[in-house]
Amino acid sequence: IRSPDEFVPHDARIPRIRPGLYVGDYGHDLYGQYRTEVLLLEYNSLGTQELVAEVTTPRQVFARPPGRGSQSPTEELELLAGLGSDVTFVRGIKQCGDFHV
């Protein structure tokens, strides 16, 4: 995990939030068993070769735990890999909270 201090926007015209842990408080009566949901937000930049590898074997951005959804990247990822340029993804990983979110 990279420090939020290392975050440098590549393009000031594109609004970006800092990577790190974000917590939402929903309250018991509004949503689920727990009051909070915690999300880790990070940016992953992949070069052309890394994108090609992610299409065939998702490991950096699109990997999923066993039994948790499809392991196949989308057609859009294949199109991005064919562009021949670096791509930055925003990835949110749930850290804790209700299982059905």
Side-chain angles (χ1 to χ4, degrees), residues 9 18 22 25 32 37 41 55 59 66 73 75 91 97 100:
R18 291 174 101 51
Y22 288 83
D25 185 348
E37 300 287 337
L41 181 75
V55 168
R59 290 194 176 139
E75 291 179 27
R91 180 169 74 164
H100 60 273

Side-chain angles (χ1 to χ4, degrees), residues 9-16:
H10 297 288
D11 187 340
R13 297 172 295 166
I14 301 172
R16 296 174 70 173

